[in-house]
Every structure is written in C-alpha cells, then in structure tokens.
Amino acid sequence: MCTVTYVKNENITILTSNRDEAISRPAALYPQTYVVNGKKIIFPKDTKANGTWFAVSEEGSVAIVLNGADKKHVSKGPYRRSRGLILLDILSAANPVEAKETIDLDNIEPFTLILYTGSVLYQFRWDGNKKETVELDPEANHIWASATLYSEEVRAKRNELFKDYLTIHETPTPEEMLFFHEFTEGNDKENGLVINRNDFLKTVSITQCVIENNRVYINYNDLISHNINKESILIL
C-alpha cells in the first residue's frame, strides 16, 4: 500500500506495488479470484479487514490503494470502513470511473487510488474532506509513495531513482520492475523500497500485474515467507 509504479512497455502495461505493514498484522492470503457484487475480481486478501490493496477485475481494470493523500495526516479512527474495502466497492461497480466520484467517503481515512481501466489511467485522492481526480498519461511512466510513511524529500528522491532506472532500462520487463521494487536502495532499511523499521514495520510483499493482449498475469512475492505465487485472468 506504499510504493506503486506504472510502466508502459510497448504492448504491455506493468503495475507493481510494495506493501509496507506492521508485522503484527495477520498475513494476507495469496491472490485468488473472488466474486464481489457479481463481478469476478482477483486480489490478495487482507485477512484483518477482508479488503485488499491491489485488485484486478475480469474486464482487466486495475485498482491499487496507497495510505494517505498528498500530505501526511493524523489518524482520527476508528473509521467507518477500511480503504481496502472501498477499493473493492469501486472496482466491483458497473462503472468504476463513475463510482469513485459518487461513492460516500464520509468517515473514511485519506487514501490515494490508482485506477487503470480501458487504457485510461486515473489518480484519485481523498484527503478526508474532498475528492480529487487527475487523469494521467497512460503512455508515460509514473511512481507513487505513501505520504504517511515517506516525507516529501524521500518521495522526490524516489522519483529520481525511478527516472534513472528507466534511463538504463528504457523498455523494462516485468522482471526488471520487480528487481527495482525489491533491491533499489537496498541498504536503506528506513526509506529504501524494501524497508525494515526496527522489526516493527516491514515491506511484506510485492504484487505485480502485467496486462498483455487479453490476459492479465499477477505475480505475488511474499517477502516474509519468500514464497512466490502466480495467477492469471482472461479479460472479458
């Protein structure tokens, strides 16, 4: 829920997400297909709140959530509903693009949602008071990091690291993007892409989807158990 990249490589689209979480939180279930509001959606499930941070629908739409909006906020919980369930509410709607604008977010903690649907890419933010949607260039490359865990300076540095990496890897493969997410700034356990803050807060997994032709491939790397899970879904 804390570092996300979007990369367009010729005919494939790659979205990759690192999840930073307290190690006391129960382990997530590996990605599998669920039926949510009558729609098939594949996602890793957070067993505490039953939501997710990364999901792909049977139409090939992808939604990824990060904690916080553009600035760090003070939690005012308990909140009415988890952000991981809000993600599923939006993605399982008949029209996710419209759903993000009409969904009731009263008493929901601030978040950033990346929504890729029908070759259109959106950044949607809720800061606790207002919604903001920005349509992004789907042919460009993008990176996000959670404002709740990373300062503005650290996020700016990540942008530069991302640009530098893509200068070397102009058309990165899914494997190269997984390498970026796992090993960039590997010695910096506080603010590298894979963190370990006093054995309390860790990057616990990396989730990636690769959209190619009429199929989406999902790679899930559990960094705690060191297991790798692969799934795929045929786009309707």
Side-chain angles (χ1 to χ4, degrees):
M1 301 173 79
C2 299
T3 304
V4 176
T5 60
Y6 170 97
V7 170
K8 190 73 172 182
N9 178 359
E10 297 180 348
N11 295 323
I12 66 173
T13 303
I14 308 168
L15 294 105
T16 312
S17 171
N18 285 18
R19 186 189 189 207
D20 302 337
E21 191 57 77
I23 62 170
S24 59
R25 195 178 186 96
L29 299 178
Y30 290 3
Q32 57 183 291
T33 301
Y34 301 88
V35 177
V36 184
N37 294 328
K39 182 183 289 189
K40 290 182 180 178
I41 299 179
I42 187 168
F43 58 91
K45 179 181 281 191
D46 172 33
T47 54
K48 181 176 181 179
N50 291 319
T52 190
W53 62 97
F54 194 122
V56 182
S57 74
E58 58 189 331
E59 298 95 351
S61 296
V62 183
I64 307 172
V65 70
L66 296 96
N67 294 336
D70 60 331
K71 297 179 181 179
K72 188 173 183 177
H73 64 276
V74 176
S75 179
K76 299 178 181 178
Y79 290 94
R80 176 172 59 85
R81 192 165 174 79
S82 82
R83 292 164 291 193
L85 289 173
I86 293 294
L87 179 155
L88 292 176
D89 291 341
I90 292 172
L91 194 63
S92 66
N95 187 327
V97 176
E98 291 182 0
K100 67 180 173 53
E101 302 297 338
T102 59
I103 192 168
D104 178 13
L105 296 179
D106 182 54
N107 195 26
I108 299 297
E109 191 164 7
F111 65 88
T112 297
L113 181 78
I114 310 306
L115 179 63
Y116 179 73
T117 178
S119 298
V120 183
L121 180 66
Y122 297 96
Q123 173 190 280
F124 173 72
R125 278 181 167 150
W126 165 249
D127 68 2
N129 295 300
K130 66 180 185 301
K131 301 174 181 177
E132 178 191 66
T133 298
V134 178
E135 185 173 337
L136 302 172
D137 181 359
E139 298 300 318
N141 301 314
H142 306 275
I143 185 169
W144 298 264
S146 170
T148 62
L149 289 180
Y150 302 102
S151 68
E152 187 174 343
E153 291 76 16
V154 171
R155 284 179 279 153
K157 181 181 180 181
R158 287 195 175 188
N159 287 336
E160 293 305 313
L161 291 168
F162 183 57
K163 290 178 183 177
D164 290 345
Y165 191 77
L166 295 181
T167 298
I168 300 171
H169 306 277
E170 294 183 4
T171 54
T173 63
E175 292 76 16
E176 287 170 338
M177 289 313 303
L178 286 172
F179 185 93
F180 173 80
H181 273 258
E182 185 170 358
F183 297 108
T184 299
E185 296 284 273
N187 293 325
D188 186 350
K189 299 304 180 183
E190 186 72 16
N191 290 308
L193 264 74
V194 171
I195 63 171
N196 180 356
R197 296 181 179 176
N198 300 315
D199 284 327
F200 171 76
L201 185 70
K202 290 185 177 182
T203 305
V204 297
S205 64
I206 302 173
T207 310
Q208 180 186 77
C209 76
V210 181
I211 304 171
E212 184 176 13
N213 298 322
N214 64 336
R215 186 169 288 277
V216 180
Y217 302 90
I218 297 97
N219 301 309
Y220 184 80
N221 186 354
D222 185 327
L223 298 179
I224 304 301
S225 68
H226 304 291
N227 289 327
I228 296 174
N229 176 266
K230 296 180 181 292
E231 299 286 344
S232 68
I233 184 170
L234 185 67
I235 301 173
L236 295 180

